[in-house]
Amino acid sequence: MAALAAVRRCRVLLHGAVKSSFRGSPSQPRSYSAGRLSVQERIERKRQAALVGGGQKRIDAQHGRGKLTARERVALLLDPDSFVEYDAFVEHRCSDFGMEADHNKFPGDSVVTGQGRINGRLVYVFSQDFTVFGGSLSGAHAQKICKIMDQAMLVGAPVIGLNDSGGARIQEGVESLAGYADIFLRNVMASGVVPQISLIMGPCAGGAVYSPALTDFTFMVKDTSYLFITGPDVVKSVTNEDVTQEELGGAKTHTAVSGVAHKAFENDIDALLNLREFFNFLPLSNKDPSPVTECHDPSDRLVPGLDTLVPLESTKAYDMLDVIHSIVDERDFFEIMPNYAKNIVVGFARMNGRTVGIVGNQPKVASGCLDINSSVKGARFVRFCDAFNVPIITFVDVPGFLPGTAQEYGGIIRHGAKLLYAFAEATVPKITIITRKAYGGAYDVMSSKHLRGDVNYAWPSAEVAVMGAKGAVQIIFRGKNNQADAEAEYVEKFANPFPAAVRGFVDDIVVPSTTRRRICRDLEVLATKKQTNPWKKHANVPLAGKKGRGRR
Amino acid sequence: MAAYRISPALQRVLHAVKHAAFRSRCCIIVSRAQYSTVYDHNEKTFDKILIANRGEIACRVMKTCKKMGIKTVAVHSDVDANAVHVKMADEAVCVGPAPTSKSYLNMDAIMNAIRQTGAQAVHPGYGFLSENKEFAKRLAAEGVSFIGPDTHAIQAMGDKIESKLIAKAAKVNTIPGFDGVVKDADEAVRIANEIGYPVMIKASAGGGGKGMRIAWNDEETREGFRFSSQEAASSFGDDRLLIEKFIDNPRHIEIQVLADKHGNALWLNERECSIQRRNQKVVEEAPSTFLDPETRRAMGEQAVSLAKAVNYSSAGTVEFLVDSRKNFYFLEMNTRLQVEHPITECITGLDLVQQMIRIAKGFPLQHTQAEIPINGWAIESRVYAEDPYKSFGLPSIGRLSQYQEPLNLHNVRVDSGIEEGSDISIYYDPMISKLVTYGATRAEALKKMEDALDNYVIRGVTHNIPLLREIIVHPRFISGDISTKFLPEVYPEGFKGHQLTATGRKELLATAASLFVAAQLRAQKFLGDLRVSNTQQERRSWELCVELEKGVHMLGVSRSGATYTVEIDGDKLEVSSDWNLASPLLTVTLNGIHRTLQCLSRNAAGEISLQYLGTTFKLRVLSKLAAALSVHMPEKVPEDTSSILRSPMPGTVVAVSVKAGDTVAEGQEICVIEAMKMQNSMTAAKTAKVRSVHCKPGETVGEGDLLVELE
């Protein structure tokens, strides 16, 4: 009776807040003794129980931590009334340690799964329920997730995971581990077929971290989410390091230091609303084209400010974000990894309504050089775009790869190769604009004509050369006097777009203010581009683990 | 600099680009011509003029030169190489690095530029070398015409004491006062009675308000004498005192004069420049609401007689203080083109720059005094890159990421020297433009100014449009009840932005809610996508929760076509617009009333910044569900700012008065930041020990940079 009363209390709360988001009969359950309940009433009772997860006390505790419940999150993420839940009746199957008792069974177990719509477009979603056994992953929990992932693959729709789980269901032992592996396998199979997004909204520790790591994008909520292989206690006992949860695996650590997460948001609501916005940039699957939304920004808009943006002195910095914001539709740029390897800028935007991926060297940070972290950041983004038919626009101002022992020991050679590989392999429309420096091997790497760039432009300020004038002159005229004259000669010869333009390595030298107009026109032309790489089982991208001691 | 890096062939490409941009600029000028003056091309003045200035005034002078068929030469510092005035000119010469002392004030370099380009005359604009007699002399020595008065007039009017004596001799009203040192209190009373109350008693060595007293009767004079001499002795070690007439609630009204080299002089009516902050003008108008024709003529005639007394030639301005009984007193004469000259041009139809050039060449005036009209009314707002919420304006810098002048409106003139993409740097005056509106009546000009300010798009730097927009609609300003103390009197606590009325609040809430819905609907419009659900019904009504200034409002929105009906607290507002989400301007009709707002930012989390009646308001729009759940979101604790001192603006650190470990008292000076010729003392917000110092003298700091941490 008491339990039932509790259920009823919770119903009131849910009706107040999120009723409209759920299907199911709203009729009030009457109090019969269990034995006399009809099937209809049992269905109703189970369904109601599923709606309140671990019960009001745990819901209150979840709210007290500044977090929303699994269902509240789903309701915010999806269009109103669009959520279709699967497996609300699934229960865990563990019979050890008293888990078989009725009060330890929760319809739906510790995850809510189903499909719904974001701005009318299909998405599969799972949302781990921390109020049920701390969101721990049971065999049943894993099975529910696998079911929606399988269906997402069948119909070609993205999967969004809202992670809030204490880890494995220890009572279930290996069954829980098997569940993780089942999910990992599906993450890998779905990779490049449908977009997969993880939003970490609570703890995510141990083996569980590998599922987000395998997905395309990992977002976090500041102050309430953590990702780590082992927590601070284990760290202390093994390495004797004193470290807090936040320092070890908080949003700041993963968005600025480790590069594990792609972006962090203020709180649950902020994160979910931003996720809706982000979702609008993505195609539903690798069979779907890059989405086109209604656009109010004229495609032939001139950007007069660009004509004076690049400073006259080539040693002076400017902000590549100024270039990007002024060229894309409505200054709307969803930057990926804004706080990590800031010497390269990547993110999504739209050109005349169509989603594009933007890659740009950032002269403001470390002169925009390529190093280990920026190469890896850029490579992963380019490969996502290529996998999902998103055209790539590259803005180049790169003085080269960062020299030094830290970079060489860290393997800049194989990491730089990843970015080269990604650009070379990509078959989506590729448009490149050299705004200023394109020096050395980095020129080749940054979506050059030689790597099948479809349209490559140079601004009048472009300098395509093996290296800067000073270094070049020291080599060419080693030991000779009048280095200054030689330098001036070199500048005259190479520090301009002509050497590349006369060889056809750039298609045209363009007035910067016309860049938006040209890109929009080119994208229209390239929309029907078809290009395939030779048949292969899969390519062998130079993966080798990242051991970067490089620049943050 | 440019030649160093760019090959000749490329230079040709660049030139072509520059030329194209330039042609479009010329068209704008032609379509906006508003002078009644005829440009007589047979009247030969100069072939080539060098403009020894930058920014808007350089552009302003060049516009007239082009109309007169005169070639122009710009000078520029190296950071200004891409500036508008450089692009506008036929030739440009770099005269040095960014600091003005090394470039725009660098006479040697400018003289070289003149020789190099063969310019026959120099227009100095205002500021910089415009009132520098040395410069005028050097030009004269090389046979180059200075477009301004001769050195004698510059010198005579440049000295405060001398100019006052000349003015007195020319029978110009000067502030009555005693020119000697006052011996004792009795003498003070006697002198005060001679001058007439109120009087000001001030230290001979004084400055900064110290040793200064205002007295309205004999008793106050005695008291004032005692206090002032004590204060003067302790502050300056010199207790000598002066007495002069105190001008209560003065207005600052100036007369534009124009004189040729043949002894002719005209007065071109007045400009009312009372709205000031820190002695800098903010809003000016012509004519003044305060002057009657007699006073105007009296002032004009005195101004002309002063000009004649110094054999003035060219355009000049005689500044007066005018008290509440229309007594006026000479303040000083500016021997140059004033910043606010456009309003005089609007009401008289004369092109002052053209007149200056003609006069410099020796042509006589074209008009008689009787031909000088007052046609309509003109208002000028000085649009500055500064934060009006900090002492009515502290400089800000940045790149103009978006910039659009309200030139789509009629009777609007914008004098500017910047464009989209320009940098407002710490080196120069932070003025963005002079926005001038014109109308047959003052009310018309003011209404136009409201529209112009609402339609002015400036992004990337903080600007003073909120303050300008409030001044021009203030009842005291509208009724003409103004003085130089207007700003401190109207905003004793400092400027706080537009205060919303109940109706205004509803308009703002309704606009934000409608914009939110329009964006939500647009987000569902995928073109040519067959996979978008067509079983989902298009929504027609929304329940929203909007936060504004810590108030939370529940709104109902329903849609029919592009019109939204918003229900707020029982009231209904109809909001319609084209809902163009790309435009920085948001033109809406609210219950039939047209308003132009600006959407400064809008994000996925529902935060919307709207500029409404000049002021930016931050709103947050959430669905009912998100609003209900937001009670569970943790409060983020804001940083304790009392122990952290951040730079309020970009600038250079001039001095640091503390070091780590020092104990400072509340209000004690910690360091001094200089920005745009202004020194700002940064003080401790509490008594504490200094933990660390993060700046050193000579360093450049950005807005919000950490300077000093206290414990």
Side-chain angles (χ1 to χ4, degrees):
Chain A
M1 278 309 278
L4 202 61
V7 167
R8 213 178 289 153
R9 260 205 321 278
C10 303
R11 264 176 52 89
V12 173
L13 172 114
L14 281 159
H15 277 216
V18 292
K19 175 192 162 190
S20 60
S21 325
F22 305 112
R23 317 168 90 220
S25 160
S27 74
Q28 190 85 3
R30 275 167 294 162
S31 43
Y32 286 108
S33 67
R36 290 174 57 204
L37 286 175
S38 69
V39 169
Q40 190 55 46
E41 280 154 344
R42 279 169 62 199
I43 293 171
E44 186 58 26
R45 279 183 62 178
K46 286 276 187 195
R47 208 182 275 286
Q48 293 310 325
L51 291 186
V52 294
Q56 191 57 40
K57 242 175 91 180
R58 293 204 177 95
I59 290 175
D60 291 344
Q62 178 81 350
H63 286 160
R65 282 186 286 263
K67 303 197 295 183
L68 298 180
T69 65
R71 286 177 186 279
E72 288 165 344
R73 287 166 175 168
V74 170
L76 272 180
L77 176 65
L78 301 179
D79 293 346
D81 300 325
S82 73
F83 182 52
V84 179
E85 186 172 356
Y86 294 174
D87 291 340
F89 296 101
V90 163
E91 292 173 356
H92 74 75
R93 298 175 294 272
C94 178
S95 53
D96 296 318
F97 311 110
M99 290 290 280
E100 68 278 19
D102 268 358
H103 69 268
N104 274 337
K105 296 257 172 135
F106 296 84
D109 204 26
S110 50
V111 67
V112 177
T113 60
Q115 45 96 343
R117 303 271 166 174
I118 293 179
N119 287 317
R121 295 197 311 155
L122 183 63
V123 61
Y124 284 80
V125 59
F126 68 86
S127 177
Q128 294 180 318
D129 187 349
F130 197 76
T131 66
V132 177
F133 298 116
S136 60
L137 188 125
S138 62
H141 179 138
Q143 184 196 323
K144 283 180 71 173
I145 293 177
C146 291
K147 186 192 270 182
I148 61 145
M149 290 184 74
D150 289 342
Q151 203 177 65
M153 292 271 281
L154 282 176
V155 303
V159 179
I160 294 179
L162 307 178
N163 297 63
D164 189 0
S165 163
R169 182 79 52 86
I170 297 168
Q171 294 90 334
E172 290 196 7
V174 72
E175 189 166 348
S176 176
L177 297 183
Y180 277 125
D182 290 342
I183 296 170
F184 296 158
L185 176 68
R186 279 163 181 81
N187 284 139
V188 173
M189 289 301 111
S191 179
V193 179
V194 294
Q196 302 179 77
I197 306 161
S198 303
L199 175 54
I200 316 299
M201 309 188 81
C204 182
V209 298
Y210 287 110
S211 176
L214 290 168
T215 61
D216 298 301
F217 296 99
T218 303
F219 299 119
M220 293 182 80
V221 179
K222 287 181 193 169
D223 304 323
T224 48
S225 73
Y226 308 97
L227 269 166
F228 35 65
I229 298 284
T230 52
D233 297 342
V234 179
V235 170
K236 174 77 180 163
S237 68
V238 176
T239 69
N240 208 27
E241 278 176 285
D242 277 312
V243 65
T244 64
Q245 269 200 109
E246 184 64 34
E247 283 165 0
L248 184 62
K252 199 170 175 189
T253 301
H254 286 311
T255 53
V257 183
S258 72
V260 166
H262 295 87
K263 204 163 190 158
F265 301 104
E266 286 307 316
N267 56 44
D268 280 15
I269 293 178
D270 197 38
L272 293 161
L273 295 178
N274 269 289
L275 196 47
R276 282 179 63 86
E277 179 116 332
F278 175 66
F279 188 81
N280 257 23
F281 283 103
L282 306 180
L284 294 182
S285 75
N286 62 349
K287 298 264 171 26
D288 290 281
S290 195
V292 183
T293 52
E294 184 183 290
C295 169
H296 298 165
D297 203 352
S299 66
D300 59 355
R301 173 171 58 85
L302 291 179
V303 190
L306 292 182
D307 290 337
T308 53
L309 182 73
V310 177
L312 293 174
E313 295 150 70
S314 68
T315 50
K316 250 179 128 178
Y318 59 96
D319 192 346
M320 193 57 92
L321 283 170
D322 283 340
V323 177
I324 296 168
H325 284 141
S326 60
I327 284 180
V328 303
D329 288 357
E330 298 174 21
R331 307 182 70 80
D332 186 8
F333 179 54
F334 192 99
E335 193 176 350
I336 299 292
M337 301 180 106
N339 293 320
Y340 178 81
K342 292 184 192 174
N343 40 346
I344 200 164
V345 176
V346 301
F348 295 100
R350 297 185 181 89
M351 294 299 284
N352 202 18
R354 182 187 302 276
T355 298
V356 294
I358 307 264
V359 180
N361 307 113
Q362 173 58 285
K364 236 179 77 173
V365 180
S367 306
C369 72
L370 286 175
D371 58 7
I372 293 172
N373 291 350
S374 60
S375 300
V376 174
K377 172 179 166 181
R380 178 125 178 100
F381 181 74
V382 167
R383 294 199 94 211
F384 175 87
C385 292
D386 186 45
F388 291 101
N389 313 316
V390 176
I392 300 165
I393 313 221
T394 309
F395 293 98
V396 184
D397 187 348
V398 64
F401 282 95
L402 182 67
T405 51
Q407 290 291 312
E408 294 292 359
Y409 296 173
I412 179 68
I413 296 173
R414 62 195 151 90
H415 296 298
K418 292 177 189 172
L419 184 59
L420 169 61
Y421 192 106
F423 271 124
E425 164 195 52
T427 54
V428 289
K430 291 187 283 192
I431 299 175
T432 307
I433 297 96
I434 301 175
T435 61
R436 189 167 62 181
K437 286 173 230 171
Y439 285 171
Y443 153 72
D444 286 338
V445 170
M446 294 303 294
S447 197
S448 62
K449 198 80 195 163
H450 323 288
L451 302 185
R452 303 191 292 186
D454 296 301
V455 182
N456 294 57
Y457 291 128
W459 283 2
S461 46
E463 306 168 11
V464 185
V466 176
M467 57 175 76
K470 203 164 187 173
V473 167
Q474 277 168 5
I475 294 168
I476 303 173
F477 302 99
R478 194 186 296 272
K480 299 221 174 96
N481 292 330
N482 61 19
Q483 299 257 321
D485 291 351
E487 207 176 308
E489 192 192 333
Y490 186 91
V491 165
E492 175 73 22
K493 264 209 173 102
F494 294 113
N496 60 59
F498 290 111
V502 295
R503 288 166 178 82
F505 298 159
V506 296
D507 300 300
D508 201 355
I509 303 170
V510 301
V511 179
S513 54
T514 63
T515 309
R516 170 177 166 83
R517 193 166 75 182
R518 284 183 176 257
I519 295 175
C520 286
R521 226 160 40 186
D522 293 334
L523 284 172
E524 217 167 17
V525 170
L526 292 169
T528 49
K529 176 187 175 185
K530 286 199 175 59
Q531 187 169 43
T532 45
N533 291 329
W535 186 90
K536 49 186 100 177
K537 185 176 175 196
H538 66 69
N540 190 13
V541 56
L543 272 180
K546 186 172 100 43
K547 210 178 90 189
R549 278 190 298 150
R551 176 176 309 277
R552 286 182 191 174
Chain B
M1 184 57 61
Y4 160 74
R5 225 166 56 81
I6 299 172
S7 69
L10 184 60
Q11 202 114 44
R12 278 198 295 280
V13 175
L14 291 173
H15 184 77
V17 172
K18 195 162 116 174
H19 215 67
F22 183 49
R23 264 199 301 276
S24 64
R25 193 163 274 283
C26 286
C27 293
I28 293 167
I29 294 162
V30 171
S31 68
R32 304 228 136 247
Q34 59 203 303
Y35 305 113
S36 56
T37 319
V38 180
Y39 300 92
D40 181 358
H41 288 281
N42 296 322
E43 197 178 81
K44 178 114 177 43
T45 53
F46 302 101
D47 295 327
K48 197 188 265 187
I49 291 179
L50 180 140
I51 294 95
N53 214 306
R54 65 180 300 282
E56 68 89 11
I57 194 62
C59 297
R60 160 72 192 90
V61 173
M62 285 180 207
K63 281 179 191 171
T64 290
C65 289
K66 286 180 194 306
K67 280 186 228 169
M68 296 175 73
I70 300 170
K71 287 204 179 73
T72 54
V73 180
V75 293
H76 64 90
S77 65
D78 49 16
V79 292
D80 271 346
N82 277 325
V84 177
H85 78 277
V86 174
K87 290 189 208 167
M88 248 182 110
D90 298 306
E91 289 171 73
V93 181
C94 180
V95 288
T100 53
S101 59
K102 292 180 180 154
S103 49
Y104 295 103
L105 291 170
N106 182 347
M107 278 191 239
D108 291 336
I110 291 173
M111 293 309 296
N112 277 335
I114 294 167
R115 282 178 218 121
Q116 188 187 323
T117 57
Q120 297 159 344
V122 171
H123 196 297
Y126 53 74
F128 295 139
L129 299 170
S130 62
E131 289 170 290
N132 186 311
K133 55 178 194 284
E134 186 59 33
F135 183 57
K137 260 185 212 158
R138 286 182 69 169
L139 290 176
E142 302 213 7
V144 177
S145 299
F146 178 73
I147 302 174
D150 60 22
T151 38
H152 164 68
I154 296 176
Q155 178 161 15
M157 293 293 110
D159 184 292
K160 292 225 163 173
I161 296 165
E162 197 186 338
S163 68
K164 199 170 167 183
L165 291 175
I166 295 172
K168 252 186 174 168
K171 302 214 161 29
V172 175
N173 302 354
T174 53
I175 298 176
F178 179 67
D179 289 334
V181 173
V182 185
K183 284 204 293 282
D184 53 32
D186 287 339
E187 194 185 359
V189 169
R190 188 176 55 76
I191 296 166
N193 279 298
E194 273 172 32
I195 297 171
Y197 286 109
V199 297
M200 192 190 314
I201 303 160
K202 59 182 188 182
S204 171
K210 285 211 174 95
M212 215 140 93
R213 280 289 183 289
I214 292 151
W216 295 79
N217 53 43
D218 292 357
E219 199 182 320
E220 283 179 16
T221 307
R222 286 176 197 285
E223 203 174 288
F225 184 86
R226 201 171 63 243
F227 280 122
S228 288
S229 52
Q230 282 167 7
E231 214 170 284
S234 67
S235 298
F236 316 113
D238 176 355
D239 63 355
R240 290 177 307 147
L241 296 180
L242 304 172
I243 293 184
E244 67 176 30
K245 175 110 180 151
F246 171 66
I247 315 293
D248 183 29
N249 270 336
R251 286 168 180 261
H252 179 121
I253 299 178
E254 59 192 27
I255 301 284
Q256 175 73 53
V257 295
L258 198 58
D260 64 19
K261 293 182 173 174
H262 309 279
N264 306 309
L266 296 171
W267 48 274
L268 307 183
N269 302 312
E270 77 281 10
R271 292 188 288 260
E272 163 77 75
C273 310
S274 297
I275 308 289
Q276 305 186 346
R277 53 119 176 80
R278 297 192 304 269
N279 292 322
Q280 263 188 306
K281 297 161 192 166
V282 183
V283 175
E284 300 107 336
E285 60 184 308
S288 165
T289 54
F290 191 59
L291 296 192
D292 48 51
E294 291 77 51
T295 318
R296 177 173 299 124
R297 187 176 333 106
M299 289 173 76
E301 282 168 358
Q302 290 195 7
V304 162
S305 71
L306 177 62
K308 285 183 172 167
V310 290
N311 287 328
Y312 198 86
S313 69
S314 193
T317 298
V318 182
E319 296 190 341
F320 292 98
L321 283 185
V322 183
D323 73 11
S324 49
R325 287 180 297 248
K326 298 202 172 97
N327 297 313
F328 58 91
Y329 307 98
F330 170 72
L331 202 58
E332 61 178 343
M333 180 168 187
N334 295 318
T335 57
R336 55 172 155 86
L337 189 64
Q338 295 275 97
V339 177
E340 59 274 21
H341 74 275
I343 51 177
T344 298
E345 297 185 326
C346 283
I347 61 162
T348 61
L350 289 176
D351 178 339
L352 288 178
V353 174
Q354 182 215 9
Q355 296 304 326
M356 289 175 81
I357 294 171
R358 289 184 65 253
I359 292 167
K361 185 67 186 176
F363 290 108
L365 294 178
Q366 290 168 313
H367 304 84
T368 62
Q369 189 62 51
E371 291 168 355
I372 303 302
I374 298 183
N375 282 332
W377 213 285
I379 317 246
E380 175 180 284
S381 291
R382 294 197 192 182
V383 182
Y384 278 104
E386 58 183 25
D387 183 348
Y389 299 100
K390 295 176 186 165
S391 351
F392 299 116
L394 283 189
S396 96
I397 57 164
R399 180 174 181 271
L400 288 167
S401 54
Q402 275 181 293
Y403 182 75
Q404 201 176 301
E405 293 172 352
L407 293 172
N408 52 326
L409 306 175
H410 283 290
N411 285 337
V412 171
R413 165 175 170 178
V414 184
D415 279 23
S416 68
I418 43 107
E419 59 189 351
E420 187 168 302
S422 292
D423 266 314
I424 308 280
S425 73
I426 57 167
Y427 301 109
Y428 310 113
D429 189 77
M431 189 158 81
I432 295 173
S433 77
K434 303 182 308 206
L435 175 62
V436 180
T437 60
Y438 175 78
T441 62
R442 184 168 188 260
E444 221 179 281
L446 280 174
K447 180 72 191 72
K448 186 66 70 179
M449 184 59 82
E450 285 179 35
D451 292 346
L453 288 169
D454 286 342
N455 280 278
Y456 205 145
V457 177
I458 303 171
R459 304 278 192 277
V461 296
T462 313
H463 54 77
N464 68 338
I465 283 181
L467 176 65
L468 297 170
R469 184 68 172 71
E470 279 300 286
I471 291 172
I472 58 153
V473 296
H474 196 277
R476 271 190 61 183
F477 182 82
I478 289 174
S479 69
D481 172 21
I482 54 174
S483 75
T484 52
K485 293 183 198 144
F486 179 84
L487 288 177
E489 275 173 14
V490 170
Y491 308 106
E493 308 284 305
F495 180 64
K496 302 265 188 272
H498 175 76
Q499 304 300 307
L500 287 172
T501 60
T503 317
R505 181 175 303 272
K506 282 179 183 165
E507 286 189 357
L508 191 53
L509 290 168
T511 308
S514 303
L515 182 64
F516 176 84
V517 170
Q520 294 263 302
L521 286 174
R522 203 268 300 258
Q524 296 168 8
K525 288 190 182 139
F526 292 91
L527 307 181
D529 196 328
L530 303 174
R531 297 197 55 192
V532 177
S533 169
N534 53 14
T535 55
Q536 249 176 305
Q537 299 261 317
E538 188 164 77
R539 278 179 84 175
R540 300 234 148 249
S541 71
W542 291 261
E543 281 184 289
L544 301 175
C545 173
V546 187
E547 280 173 40
L548 168 62
E549 293 180 336
K550 294 186 178 152
V552 178
H553 307 263
M554 295 303 297
L555 274 65
V557 182
S558 56
R559 183 178 76 98
S560 108
T563 302
Y564 298 90
T565 306
V566 184
E567 263 196 80
I568 313 172
D569 307 332
D571 277 359
K572 276 191 180 171
L573 275 94
E574 293 227 318
V575 189
S576 47
S577 167
D578 63 353
W579 302 116
N580 182 326
L581 297 168
S583 167
L585 294 174
L586 179 62
T587 311
V588 293
T589 310
L590 290 148
N591 280 354
I593 301 165
H594 283 281
R595 289 236 186 265
T596 303
L597 288 86
Q598 296 192 22
C599 179
L600 304 177
S601 67
R602 188 164 54 78
N603 68 20
E607 288 163 346
I608 298 178
S609 281
L610 288 179
Q611 182 181 313
Y612 172 71
L613 304 179
T615 295
T616 300
F617 293 92
K618 290 196 160 75
L619 298 102
R620 185 162 196 210
V621 186
L622 289 174
S623 68
K624 197 177 167 192
L625 171 65
L629 292 176
S630 63
V631 298
H632 302 304
M633 294 300 99
E635 286 262 341
K636 307 266 163 160
V637 189
E639 178 182 61
D640 174 17
T641 49
S642 70
S643 56
I644 286 173
L645 186 69
R646 291 182 185 280
S647 177
M649 71 212 139
T652 315
V653 181
V654 179
V656 181
S657 346
V658 296
K659 55 183 191 301
D662 286 0
T663 304
V664 291
E666 186 181 331
Q668 187 182 331
E669 181 179 290
I670 289 182
C671 62
V672 180
I673 308 282
E674 186 181 273
M676 292 154 189
K677 302 175 278 180
M678 267 178 51
Q679 296 213 340
N680 298 275
S681 172
M682 309 295 306
T683 55
K686 62 175 185 188
T687 303
K689 209 172 196 184
V690 177
R691 173 174 300 164
S692 52
V693 177
H694 298 271
C695 59
K696 44 181 189 288
E699 220 170 57
T700 328
V701 289
E703 180 174 342
D705 280 7
L706 183 62
L707 301 172
V708 170
E709 267 183 287
L710 304 178
E711 281 182 356

